[in-house]
Amino acid sequence: MHRRSVARTLIAALPVSAALLVAPAAAQTPPRVVLPPPPPDGAIARVHLGEIRTAPEGSMEGYSREQFPHWATVQGTCDTREWVLRRDGQDVVTDSACRATSGRWESPYDGGVWTDRQDLDIDHMVPLAQAWRSGADAWTTARRRQFANDLESSQLWTVTDNVNQSKGDKDPARWKPPLASFHCTYARSWVDVKWRYGLSADEAEKRALTDMLATC
């Protein structure tokens, strides 16, 4: 059954680390990609969690998704969304516009296996609205663009669309992936993103992350 796919917005090109790019591809050939580094292990994640500032969530005043420009152009006709779809799938075939036309994807949140891109969302591990309430409201637009298109951390994941929609902008105190075996990786990734970007976490969020890291 087809589900709603996330909206895509093309924006100005975002510089990407040379570590993510290979030699320029032929005109009609989508670029190969290198997977981003995994989040630190559980022991390091626990240290980083302790370094994250504890604070209540802020307000949503002034928030909109447009405050986080995405999806950025990565290379040629490939934007961040198409890049991640190709990165996370198996046997992905793309057209001349870098749009995935077929492939196989497994959602780490729930174990769902899909062959139609319409069943998939690209999830921001730390949702944009959650980031806004945790300190991103004070960022520049350029910093928010970097956050929304970050290919160098564990921020972007290809997941089942309705599972992503059930997550919304909830933190781990209010939502966890249905697949319990993924809780360790989820917590490590969440902590890594918040730690990298200097975002805060409230007390309930930290307790939930501590419990999830105990499964590592």
Side-chain angles (χ1 to χ4, degrees):
M1 180 174 65
H2 296 288
R3 301 183 177 89
R4 177 181 60 79
S5 59
V6 294
R8 298 185 300 140
T9 304
L10 296 178
I11 63 171
L14 174 71
V16 178
S17 166
L20 292 172
L21 302 179
V22 295
Q28 299 296 317
T29 304
R32 293 191 302 109
V33 298
V34 178
L35 289 176
D41 65 23
I44 294 175
R46 283 187 282 272
V47 172
H48 286 174
L49 178 59
E51 295 173 352
I52 292 173
R53 181 172 61 90
T54 305
E57 288 188 357
S59 78
M60 291 289 285
E61 183 178 357
Y63 170 78
S64 72
R65 288 181 67 84
E66 287 69 34
Q67 297 277 6
F68 295 80
H70 64 290
W71 302 105
T73 300
V74 176
Q75 183 183 35
T77 58
C78 290
D79 66 20
T80 311
R81 185 176 196 278
E82 298 301 333
W83 190 277
V84 174
L85 279 171
R86 188 174 189 273
R87 182 196 73 187
D88 293 352
Q90 298 176 21
D91 303 320
V92 178
V93 176
T94 58
D95 61 20
S96 60
C98 198
R99 180 180 170 86
T101 58
S102 64
R104 180 183 182 277
W105 294 268
E106 182 173 351
S107 168
Y109 289 5
D110 62 322
V113 177
W114 308 104
T115 57
D116 190 325
R117 59 177 289 140
Q118 294 190 60
D119 293 319
L120 301 164
D121 276 355
I122 305 303
D123 180 45
H124 291 93
M125 171 60 62
V126 175
L128 305 183
Q130 166 63 214
W132 182 268
R133 299 192 299 269
S134 303
D137 59 328
W139 292 351
T140 63
T141 299
R143 182 66 165 167
R144 289 193 288 263
R145 180 186 294 115
Q146 179 186 9
F147 180 84
N149 297 278
D150 187 357
L151 293 167
E152 298 187 7
S153 75
S154 301
Q155 169 68 330
L156 299 174
W157 296 80
T158 301
V159 301
T160 303
D161 65 347
N162 62 351
V163 173
N164 183 45
Q165 291 153 24
S166 73
K167 172 184 174 179
D169 65 353
K170 303 179 185 74
D171 69 31
R174 300 171 56 207
W175 188 91
K176 297 177 179 64
L179 201 61
S181 60
F182 190 66
H183 286 184
C184 169
T185 301
Y186 190 84
R188 288 162 51 210
S189 299
W190 184 283
V191 169
D192 186 40
V193 173
K194 284 220 161 177
W195 181 82
R196 281 172 180 257
Y197 284 91
L199 295 170
S200 64
D202 63 31
E203 291 182 354
E205 179 184 349
K206 281 195 165 186
R207 285 195 298 269
L209 288 164
T210 298
D211 290 344
M212 294 169 77
L213 289 173
T215 69
C216 295

